[in-house]
Amino acid sequence: MEVCNCIEPQWPADELLMKYQYISDFFIAIAYFSIPLELIYFVKKSAVFPYRWVLVQFGAFIVLCGATHLINLWTFTTHSRTVALVMTTAKVLTAVVSCATALMLVHIIPDLLSVKTRELFLKNKAAELDREMGLIRTQEETGRHVRMLTHEIRSTLDRHTILKTTLVELGRTLALEECALWMPTRTGLELQLSYTLRHQHPVEYTVPIQLPVINQVFGTSRAVKISPNSPVARLRPVSGKYMLGEVVAVRVPLLHLSNFQINDWPELSTKRYALMVLMLPSDSARQWHVHELELVEVVADQVAVALSHAAILEESMRARDLLMEQNVALDLARREAETAIRARNDFLAVMNHEMRTPMHAIIALSSLLQETELTPEQRLMVETILKSSNLLATLMNDVLDLSRLEDGSLQLELGTFNLHTLFREVLNLIKPIAVVKKLPITLNLAPDLPEFVVGDEKRLMQIILNIVGNAVKFSKQGSISVTALVTKSDTRAADFFVVPTGSHFYLRVKVKDSGAGINPQDIPKIFTKFAQTQSLATRSSGGSGLGLAISKRFVNLMEGNIWIESDGLGKGCTAIFDVKLGISERSNESKQSGIPKVPAIPRHSNFTGLKVLVMDENGVSRLVTKGLLVHLGCEVTMVSSNEECLRVVSHEHKVVFMDVCMPGVENYQIALRIHEKFTKQRHQRPLLVALSGNTDKSTKEKCMSFGLDGVLLKPVSLDNMRDVLSDLLEPRVLYEGM
Amino acid sequence: MDLVQMQKSLQDYTKSLFLEGILDGQFLQLQQLQDESNPDFVSQVVTLFFQDSDRILNDLSLSLDQQVVDFKKVDPHVHQLKGSSSSIGAQRVKNACVVFRNFCEQQNVEACHRCLQQVKQEYYLVKNRLETLFKLEQQIVASGGMIPAVELGF
């Protein structure tokens, strides 16, 4: 029997106390039972709870505690042993569990605490990130502002617009109270207030450039905070109660065109800056933030670039305008010149004819008059008239020639002539005058000088005559020597190389006189028109001053060069010219008179036995042609058609005469076919002569293009036939048949 | 008639032919070509001319009488006649041919007919005269004389 340890109360059970204990235990029990329920309920609700096991333990602990207290309810009164047992069991269990829980909590609580720490850490991090994001956003906004500003600034090339836009946009972006731009004056010693955003400023408001604050700003490329009281910032009407907002100033480099011409980037080698001053609104307690300052710096750079672009554009526009003006002026001048030239040409053309006609009349009639019976005075008068009119005629010709030369409309008339004879003729013409002046003239012709040359005989004579004439004219005593030679490639003038090409050579003529000589400085002027360098005394020798100018132009036309050498006044001078002449083939032949038009002396016996072929569809003309040729001694074969001709022609026939009267080219084809036939035996091809109804240019050209050697006009005369045959059978082929 | 007279009348007659323009210098050329080696040159040529021309004139008449005149055929004939007459020196015939050719190019049938008539006229004229000339020459030769070379004073 267990001794109930329940002590019988000494005093009568305090019913009240008992009741209160009873109630408290009851409530405790309830509480103890409801807490785990709550825990379970909420944990089930929550998604994550890592400590379920702990929860169970805890729940068990609490439940058992509650159970204990619950069972306690029965122990207030006498209770049976079962109750006591249950009580004991409960208590024991409770003890176990609570101890286990206590032990477990030792592990758990630090963990729980660390969770808290992590949470705190994350919160801090989040706050930090938030801040940073705020920063980035502001920066991005700044960037956007800059881009927009730049776009606005760069969208125009007008200087004023650029600057104005800068200030406006900056003012807007940064919510500024005032924005000002100070530009350096022309002298560079002062800064002048050029643009402001809001306030009107007095014109010509300047500050000296050497202020310390300005130097400070110009010294760095960063935006610098300056005092609101500095002269550059004192733009607003000062009213004392305002707390002036912060002011920032930045320099704007004014780049010049020349800065961009250096290879390395213009590292602000310019010394000219403008000053941009930005003021925050007063009484706003706003401060300049770093990103705002950066914005300002970037804008300042952009403005600098935009300004320089504007400057460049201005300059190029100016240059273009200038060029256009000049263009217009030049155009006008050209048109005027052309009109003048046309007028002159017209004048010359008219004058030429108008002047020559009376001139001819005068000369002709004077000459006729000379032939008649005249008294000596009359004769003298007539001679003077003749001389004067000849001179006048020469002058007219010279002027006309010169103007035609200058136009480039003069062309050389090439022909074959005898060079030696030309020189002799010139000398013969000059000799009378030279003899009168007692100036011996000598002529030296180089031995290798070709005799027959191709060139413009008349003009060459004019040149030589002019030069030799000048030599005689301007020499009072001494002698004149004329030398002609073939020049080699090393000539005097450096810009003119003589290359004797195949059938051409360069003739050099030197005329040396011992006359007054020429001052070396005057030599270039000699060849200009109308200018004469001789003193007044010698002016009486006459001449218009055109001679040398004309000669020079003729020489140039002949692809040559002319110059004068002189050792000085009183030492005489040498005139030298080179001209290009062609070598005539006839120079290799017998030295007969060089004109090729003179027919060779016809001899009947030349053609005896000459086999010829005559092709003509017309029987009568065929017979006539045959008669002609037979009379000249030829052996004639006649054919009446192209085919027959081709069949019959052979290397025995020396000449083939073919009638080409019919229009079209069929008859000419025969020539080609004969050519073909004889290609292998080229040298034995018979000569081909066409008998045609006309010998105009087109016929001749046709004949040439088909390879014919000559053309005869029908009806053929005996002499023509003879001429053609003799010319054809000479080594040189002639293309004449009239 | 004695020889000298005959020769004189031959000369005069020949001169008249030239003066009237029936013959021109080409005929002289032909006469120059006649020599001992070629005694009948002129008459040969002239005879051939007569034969050719008769034929051509016939062909021309036929061609022009067609309903539709083929000028492509007419032209070569005229060209031939012109060539022959000019080779011989029949000046007026040649000139008439030139006119004929022009109208041929214009394809003017009426005018061509007229030209043909003209050409025929000239041709018969020159034929007549030349035949007379040759008769005179034959007479002289038959009398044993020489045909004098024609001297033209103009």
Side-chain angles (χ1 to χ4, degrees):
Chain A
M1 169 85 85
E2 287 217 10
V3 178
C4 178
N5 282 345
C6 321
I7 304 167
E8 293 274 359
Q10 295 293 335
W11 49 94
D14 201 330
E15 292 289 331
L16 201 61
L17 282 171
M18 283 301 223
K19 232 192 241 154
Y20 277 134
Q21 276 194 0
Y22 194 81
I23 292 169
S24 313
D25 270 333
F26 179 66
F27 274 113
I28 289 173
I30 289 183
Y32 273 154
F33 280 136
S34 58
I35 286 176
L37 286 173
E38 284 170 11
L39 273 174
I40 290 171
Y41 174 70
F42 283 114
V43 166
K44 267 221 158 55
K45 275 276 183 157
S46 83
V48 283
F49 192 73
Y51 301 112
R52 295 229 164 156
W53 175 240
V54 172
L55 198 61
V56 166
Q57 260 183 324
F58 217 61
F61 166 65
I62 291 179
V63 163
L64 284 170
C65 274
T68 317
H69 281 280
L70 192 64
I71 296 169
N72 236 2
L73 290 175
W74 273 269
T75 56
F76 285 118
T77 51
T78 12
H79 48 277
S80 64
R81 192 196 157 94
T82 326
V83 174
L85 196 62
V86 167
M87 184 81 202
T88 317
T89 323
K91 275 206 174 142
V92 165
L93 278 175
T94 310
V96 166
V97 170
S98 40
C99 284
T101 311
L103 283 171
M104 186 77 40
L105 278 178
V106 169
H107 295 287
I108 297 292
I109 289 183
D111 262 355
L112 281 174
L113 282 177
S114 81
V115 165
K116 215 60 185 137
T117 322
R118 251 180 267 151
E119 189 190 317
L120 207 62
F121 175 68
L122 281 171
K123 224 191 269 182
N124 281 345
K125 232 348 183 223
E128 210 179 287
L129 280 171
D130 268 337
R131 265 202 307 277
E132 279 194 6
M133 204 165 77
L135 222 68
I136 289 175
R137 214 178 273 138
T138 6
Q139 272 180 350
E140 213 235 84
E141 279 233 356
T142 311
R144 205 160 35 80
H145 282 303
V146 168
R147 270 196 300 281
M148 186 205 35
L149 262 165
T150 311
H151 175 76
E152 289 293 325
I153 291 172
R154 298 284 283 272
S155 66
T156 168
L157 282 170
D158 171 47
R159 176 176 233 184
H160 292 285
T161 323
I162 290 175
L163 292 169
K164 208 69 187 142
T165 316
T166 312
L167 296 182
V168 163
E169 293 296 328
L170 262 181
R172 215 179 42 194
T173 312
L174 298 172
L176 299 171
E177 172 170 356
E178 179 59 82
C179 227
L181 190 71
W182 300 76
M183 301 280 277
T185 56
R186 221 160 278 281
T187 58
L189 295 174
E190 292 178 326
L191 284 181
Q192 181 181 7
L193 183 58
S194 313
Y195 303 93
T196 52
L197 185 55
R198 297 186 212 284
H199 298 100
Q200 293 296 37
H201 59 275
V203 183
E204 303 281 347
Y205 182 32
T206 61
V207 296
I209 209 170
Q210 289 302 330
L211 290 179
V213 61
I214 298 181
N215 283 339
Q216 183 197 7
V217 177
F218 281 176
T220 166
S221 63
R222 316 291 314 270
V224 174
K225 290 209 186 95
I226 60 176
S227 149
N229 289 323
S230 56
V232 290
R234 228 176 314 153
L235 301 171
R236 293 161 287 192
V238 180
S239 8
K241 56 185 167 128
Y242 278 123
M243 173 62 185
L244 300 169
E246 288 199 341
V247 178
V248 143
V250 71
R251 72 174 186 187
V252 179
L254 297 172
L255 296 167
H256 205 21
L257 183 59
S258 52
N259 290 111
F260 289 103
Q261 284 165 356
I262 332 169
N263 279 338
D264 51 338
W265 199 244
E267 210 21 84
L268 296 181
S269 49
T270 170
K271 292 291 189 297
R272 290 182 76 216
Y273 299 107
L275 188 73
M276 198 153 58
V277 176
L278 309 156
M279 290 167 239
L280 287 178
S282 33
D283 267 4
S284 71
R286 250 184 71 185
Q287 296 228 321
W288 281 100
H289 298 199
V290 170
H291 70 267
E292 287 170 343
L293 291 179
E294 282 174 4
L295 175 73
V296 166
E297 283 158 23
V298 168
V299 167
D301 274 337
Q302 287 298 319
V303 166
V305 173
L307 281 177
S308 59
H309 283 185
I312 292 175
L313 181 75
E314 258 179 58
E315 260 185 62
S316 67
M317 298 280 279
R318 221 163 14 93
R320 189 197 63 167
D321 285 337
L322 204 65
L323 276 174
M324 264 173 45
E325 265 177 49
Q326 281 180 343
N327 230 14
V328 168
L330 278 172
D331 214 19
L332 191 65
R334 183 179 57 92
R335 272 200 300 261
E336 282 178 359
E338 278 179 2
T339 325
I341 290 181
R342 263 201 303 270
R344 185 202 63 181
N345 285 348
D346 290 339
F347 168 76
L348 278 176
V350 165
M351 277 293 117
N352 177 27
H353 182 256
E354 298 302 323
M355 290 203 292
R356 281 192 210 238
T357 320
M359 209 63 245
H360 281 148
I362 296 175
I363 294 180
L365 292 174
S366 316
S367 327
L368 281 179
L369 197 57
Q370 252 187 348
E371 308 285 319
T372 62
E373 290 276 336
L374 294 170
T375 69
E377 301 107 35
Q378 283 175 330
R379 185 162 292 277
L380 196 62
M381 285 190 247
V382 171
E383 275 174 8
T384 316
I385 293 176
L386 206 53
K387 229 193 321 190
S388 313
S389 31
N390 273 330
L391 251 149
L392 193 59
T394 318
L395 178 63
M396 269 168 28
N397 284 340
D398 276 357
V399 168
L400 199 69
D401 261 353
L402 194 60
S403 64
R404 272 198 298 155
L405 274 170
E406 289 186 333
D407 282 349
S409 57
L410 191 86
Q411 279 176 330
L412 296 175
E413 289 155 23
L414 299 174
T416 313
F417 60 94
N418 188 330
L419 197 58
H420 296 224
T421 317
L422 185 106
F423 277 107
R424 277 190 277 272
E425 263 182 60
V426 168
L427 243 65
N428 287 338
L429 284 169
I430 291 286
K431 259 217 170 76
I433 312 175
V435 161
V436 161
K437 285 181 103 166
K438 298 207 183 22
L439 294 167
I441 306 189
T442 47
L443 172 67
N444 301 317
L445 300 176
D448 61 346
L449 199 69
E451 196 169 330
F452 293 97
V453 299
V454 176
D456 191 335
E457 180 184 11
K458 188 174 93 166
R459 300 234 167 85
L460 184 61
M461 186 188 281
Q462 207 173 336
I463 298 172
I464 305 177
L465 208 53
N466 179 269
I467 307 250
V468 177
N470 276 350
V472 170
K473 210 193 314 186
F474 294 119
S475 302
K476 294 219 190 62
Q477 80 268 7
S479 68
I480 316 264
S481 85
V482 178
T483 321
L485 43 99
V486 175
T487 187
K488 307 292 186 288
S489 51
D490 50 338
T491 57
R492 181 178 168 275
D495 58 347
F496 177 63
F497 289 107
V498 170
V499 176
T501 55
S503 56
H504 292 113
F505 74 102
Y506 282 87
L507 165 75
R508 173 173 290 192
V509 176
K510 285 197 224 185
V511 177
K512 185 166 167 44
D513 71 50
S514 52
I518 303 177
N519 202 332
Q521 294 161 346
D522 289 334
I523 290 188
K525 282 195 262 165
I526 290 208
F527 292 103
T528 49
K529 298 191 282 191
F530 308 120
Q532 274 197 325
T533 57
Q534 319 300 38
S535 59
L536 240 53
T538 52
R539 280 296 276 268
S540 54
S541 38
S544 60
L546 280 180
L548 272 178
I550 293 186
S551 303
K552 179 172 163 80
R553 279 176 181 70
F554 280 142
V555 166
N556 286 339
L557 263 181
M558 295 186 196
E559 297 179 45
N561 205 8
I562 180 171
W563 67 95
I564 296 207
E565 294 169 3
S566 172
D567 290 327
L569 285 165
K571 299 208 181 81
C573 71
T574 314
I576 312 177
F577 71 86
D578 295 331
V579 288
K580 185 176 177 188
L581 295 170
I583 304 180
S584 160
E585 294 135 34
R586 287 191 84 114
S587 52
N588 297 334
E589 294 176 8
S590 54
K591 308 259 185 198
Q592 24 170 305
S593 157
I595 308 163
K597 299 274 175 45
V598 170
I601 300 171
R603 282 195 295 275
H604 196 120
S605 55
N606 260 353
F607 310 124
T608 318
L610 182 71
K611 278 186 148 198
V612 300
L613 182 66
V614 172
M615 188 212 80
D616 194 333
E617 286 172 356
N618 185 320
V620 175
S621 23
R622 207 167 48 223
L623 200 52
V624 172
T625 316
K626 175 182 172 186
L628 276 173
L629 291 164
V630 163
H631 188 75
L632 291 173
C634 309
E635 265 188 52
V636 183
T637 322
M638 298 207 293
V639 292
S640 58
S641 73
N642 281 347
E643 288 73 29
E644 225 186 312
C645 176
L646 266 180
R647 251 186 303 123
V648 173
V649 75
S650 73
H651 63 275
E652 288 179 343
H653 299 107
K654 289 281 177 287
V655 189
V656 174
F657 291 90
M658 53 184 74
D659 171 60
V660 294
C661 274
M662 296 300 286
V665 293
E666 312 83 34
N667 296 26
Y668 293 94
Q669 301 278 4
I670 186 84
L672 290 177
R673 289 163 77 184
I674 294 186
H675 271 275
E676 274 171 32
K677 187 167 175 185
F678 283 90
T679 1
K680 329 188 218 70
Q681 352 157 11
R682 181 103 171 86
H683 56 283
Q684 286 182 335
R685 170 179 77 83
L687 296 164
L688 304 170
V689 179
L691 302 170
S692 165
N694 59 54
T695 50
D696 61 9
K697 201 157 170 230
S698 61
T699 319
K700 279 198 188 149
E701 278 172 1
K702 237 198 231 170
C703 290
M704 267 171 84
S705 65
F706 280 94
L708 287 152
D709 301 300
V711 152
L712 273 175
L713 177 68
K714 285 206 323 189
V716 190
S717 74
L718 192 61
D719 290 326
N720 277 352
M721 184 61 87
R722 235 199 313 252
D723 292 341
V724 165
L725 276 180
S726 10
D727 286 324
L728 276 181
L729 297 172
E730 277 196 8
R732 198 159 73 96
V733 290
L734 179 69
Y735 213 84
E736 272 275 344
M738 269 290 301
Chain B
M1 215 192 285
D2 87 314
L3 195 59
V4 175
Q5 265 183 310
M6 279 201 279
Q7 285 172 338
K8 182 93 183 16
S9 61
L10 177 67
Q11 270 197 321
D12 290 336
Y13 190 71
T14 320
K15 256 198 196 156
S16 73
L17 287 180
F18 285 109
L19 285 172
E20 285 176 50
I22 298 176
L23 294 177
D24 64 16
Q26 181 62 14
F27 191 72
L28 279 180
Q29 294 274 346
L30 291 187
Q31 290 192 321
Q32 280 185 9
L33 295 178
Q34 183 162 289
D35 52 22
E36 313 81 49
S37 56
N38 214 347
D40 293 323
F41 182 62
V42 179
S43 59
Q44 267 183 354
V45 176
V46 171
T47 317
L48 186 57
F49 171 66
F50 290 156
Q51 285 171 351
D52 257 359
S53 307
D54 284 331
R55 186 178 44 86
I56 291 176
L57 287 173
N58 262 339
D59 288 340
L60 274 176
S61 306
L62 280 174
S63 300
L64 281 183
D65 281 337
Q66 303 284 335
Q67 283 283 18
V68 178
V69 178
D70 187 1
F71 285 100
K72 285 209 186 48
K73 282 221 196 95
V74 172
D75 191 70
H77 286 313
V78 183
H79 183 82
Q80 270 262 43
L81 188 57
K82 176 175 137 213
S84 316
S85 51
S86 72
S87 303
I88 257 212
Q91 195 178 346
R92 276 156 63 155
V93 178
K94 182 188 85 175
N95 289 342
C97 286
V98 169
V99 175
F100 197 154
R101 271 196 97 189
N102 281 340
F103 283 123
C104 253
E105 267 176 61
Q106 294 170 16
Q107 310 218 344
N108 188 336
V109 181
E110 266 303 308
C112 281
H113 271 115
R114 280 201 302 273
C115 282
L116 181 61
Q117 292 311 313
Q118 180 75 10
V119 167
K120 276 189 180 168
Q121 229 180 315
E122 295 295 341
Y123 168 69
Y124 290 130
L125 180 64
V126 76
K127 183 170 179 186
N128 203 325
R129 298 296 177 92
L130 282 175
E131 280 171 347
T132 319
L133 188 77
F134 288 143
K135 273 216 197 76
L136 282 175
E137 284 184 357
Q138 277 167 359
Q139 280 180 346
I140 294 178
V141 167
S143 314
M146 293 267 295
I147 300 173
V150 178
E151 294 157 15
L152 292 174
F154 48 73

